[in-house]
Amino acid sequence: MSGFIRLHRPLPLTDLLGLEYDGLLQRLTREVWVAAGTIADPALRCAALGAAPRPRIALSHRSAHWVWWGSSSGRAPALTEYTTFSRRRMRAARGSWTVYERDVLPAERVEFDGQTVTSPERTLYDLLRAALQASDPVTTGQHTFARVPHADRQAFLAWLDGVERRPYAARTRALALATIGRAPSPSLTP
């Protein structure tokens, strides 16, 4: 996708930061800027993250959340997260990315110009499942839903009603209902 200005191609970091501070550029990732005022949609944010480091993995968790709904700063998370299409061992990782060894079914994947992202519903499920391990799952869940529009929340709840035989499905459903504003469930307690 054109319109990206990448670190050291052609400008060094100091020049890019100067243009950002002057309001001429906005930063999307650690190494990618776009012209100020550019509307960042999911396809643009996905392209800014670049190609996956390994085949058969999808952007997931906080990275997919950023692709779908952005962030308050506009920037991508520092750590890029992926999940394998099918459960398999990934023997490599780098400091700026990590891979979860889980299954992502074809119905739970969306593709943007060759880059695969977990669907909005699967993204929220993964983040709420991780929130179950937090010291305050409801607050963590509320943070997850902070930028998610009402229609996407309702679509997630409808999708979640059909989820069966998945690890932590009942507890994740209870956390989703507690987080979105319905009555908290006693099943959230460890």
Side-chain angles (χ1 to χ4, degrees):
M1 171 168 275
S2 62
F4 290 143
I5 300 167
R6 296 191 181 272
L7 182 62
H8 302 300
R9 291 184 243 154
L11 300 173
L13 180 61
T14 54
D15 291 351
L16 291 168
L17 290 176
L19 292 170
E20 182 181 355
Y21 294 144
D22 288 341
L24 299 172
L25 294 179
Q26 66 187 39
R27 194 174 195 173
L28 293 179
T29 70
R30 288 182 358 187
E31 299 183 355
V32 176
W33 285 258
V34 292
T38 301
I39 304 297
D41 63 355
L44 178 83
R45 287 191 287 264
C46 188
L49 289 173
R54 300 277 182 193
R56 302 187 47 75
I57 58 177
L59 282 165
S60 65
H61 294 75
R62 285 173 292 276
S63 299
H65 190 280
W66 179 75
V67 167
W68 293 116
W69 301 289
S71 66
S72 58
S73 70
R75 294 183 187 165
L79 179 68
T80 306
E81 296 171 290
Y82 298 93
T83 299
T84 56
F85 288 1
S86 60
R87 187 177 298 272
R88 64 185 172 118
R89 183 114 170 118
M90 294 291 292
R91 296 197 181 270
R94 301 290 183 263
S96 63
W97 56 272
T98 190
V99 177
Y100 298 95
E101 298 169 356
R102 298 185 184 138
D103 296 331
V104 179
L105 303 173
E108 298 173 346
R109 302 188 297 241
V110 177
E111 192 168 314
F112 293 106
D113 294 327
Q115 176 75 304
T116 306
V117 183
T118 55
S119 69
E121 296 83 9
R122 173 61 189 263
T123 298
L124 292 171
Y125 184 86
D126 287 341
L127 289 172
L128 286 181
R129 179 180 170 185
L132 291 170
Q133 306 305 315
S135 59
D136 185 359
V138 173
T139 300
T140 304
Q142 289 170 341
H143 180 30
T144 297
F145 282 105
R147 298 188 55 82
V148 178
H150 179 75
D152 290 348
R153 292 176 187 205
Q154 297 309 309
F156 172 65
L157 289 176
W159 177 84
L160 197 54
D161 282 342
V163 169
E164 295 178 5
R165 297 183 184 192
R166 190 177 292 234
Y168 303 99
R171 291 185 67 208
T172 302
R173 185 176 293 110
L175 177 57
L177 294 174
T179 300
I180 292 177
R182 298 190 184 163
S185 172
S187 64
L188 284 178
T189 57

